Amino acid sequence: MERADASDLLALLAVARERSFTRAAARLAISQPTLSQTVQGLEERLGVRLLNRTTRSVTPTQAGERLLQKIGPKFDEMDAELGALSELREKPAGTIRITATEYAAQAILMPAMAKIAPLYPDIKVEVMIDVGLTNIVAAQYDAGIRPGELVAKDMIAVRVGPDLRMAVVGSPSYFASRVRPRTPQDLTQHNCVNLHLPTHGGRLYAWEFERNGRDVNVRVDGQLVFNSSGALLHAALQGLGLAYLTEGQVQPYLSSGELIRVLGDWCPPFSGYHLYYPSRRQPSPAFTLLVDALRYRGRASRG
C-alpha cells in the first residue's frame, strides 16, 4: 500500500465516523476542501464511490462500509500500539549512579527504593559507598548524598533527611575499666576507632564537637582504623574502642544497652543529608522520580 493510500484511508475513516467533512477536517487539522479532494481522489483511484453525500449528512456506501469494516479495526490497533510505544518511551527507565555514605545508603536510599522499585522495574540504581567527598562530575556520578554543610555551593541540593547529630559511643565492657570522658580533650586518653578519609590525603577524620559556640576538633588515636562506618560500629560493639557515628546509626544499640553514649552535650544537630547534583544536569524521568521519592517532607525520622 502506498503512503498516499494509507493517508487517504485515514481521511475516509475520519469522515465516516464523524458523518461530516467539517468535523472530520477539524479533527485532522486540515481544511474542509482539502479533505473533500482527498476522499474524492481515493474514490477515483479505486473506481468506486465510498461515501453518499447530501446537504445534511455523509454516510458510507455499501462499498465504503465494507472497506471501513476491514480497515477500521486495523487502524485502531495501530493507534493502540503507537500509544503503547509512547508510554514506554515516557516510562521512567535507566541507570542512576549515586555515591553515598554507608549510613545514607541504608537509611535514605533503601527506603526510597523499596517504594519505587516494585513499580518501576526499568529503573536501576548503582550506589557506591564512599566516606570521602567524591567529585561526582569527574567520577561520572549522577548525584551524591552527603550532609548539607558538605555540599558545594555550585550544586543543586535537595534535602532528603532530617537534621543529624553525632554520637561518641562505647560498649559497657569498654567502660568497665575506663573513666568516661567529660570533655572532647579527654578522648586523647582513650582507645578510639578511627575513620580513614581517602579524599583528605589519607588523613584520619578529626572528631568535631561544639558547645556554647565553641568548636573543638580532636585528632584521636587508637588501635583500629577503618574506611567504613559499619566497621566502626561493630568494633565499638565488640568493646574495641570508642566510635564516632551518627545518632541514628547507634540509637538501637543505645536503647538496648549494648552501647553507652558520652559527650552528648558536645554534639549539637547539624544539617541533614542532601542529594546533590550539577546545576547543568538535565534530570531524566527516572532521576526526577528518585528525587521525589527521596525528598524530605518533615516526616518523623531519626538522623
Side-chain angles (χ1 to χ4, degrees), residues 173-228:
S173 63
Y174 176 85
F175 286 116
S177 59
R178 295 173 177 83
V179 177
R180 300 185 188 185
R182 296 178 177 274
T183 69
Q185 290 84 352
D186 293 340
L187 292 170
T188 58
Q189 306 302 315
H190 282 264
N191 192 4
C192 297
V193 185
N194 261 305
L195 178 66
H196 180 267
L197 293 178
T199 55
H200 283 65
R203 296 197 309 270
L204 301 181
Y205 174 63
W207 294 12
E208 301 171 300
F209 301 94
E210 178 188 345
R211 191 173 72 172
N212 299 328
R214 178 189 173 197
D215 294 329
V216 177
N217 292 348
V218 180
R219 294 200 174 276
V220 298
D221 194 14
Q223 294 175 283
L224 294 173
V225 178
F226 295 102
N227 66 347
S228 161

Side-chain angles (χ1 to χ4, degrees), residues 30 39 74 106 112 130 138 158 178 209 243 247 275 279 293 303:
I30 61 176
V39 174
K74 290 182 172 58
Q106 171 192 339
D130 187 356
V158 179
R178 295 173 177 83
F209 301 94
E247 186 179 61
L275 180 135
S279 57

Side-chain angles (χ1 to χ4, degrees), residues 108 112 115 157-161 275 277 288-299:
I108 303 296
K115 294 179 180 179
V158 179
R159 188 179 181 93
V160 295
L275 180 135
Y277 55 95
T288 300
L289 180 69
L290 180 62
V291 171
D292 190 60
L294 289 169
R295 191 183 301 274
Y296 179 66
R297 296 177 176 83
R299 58 189 180 277

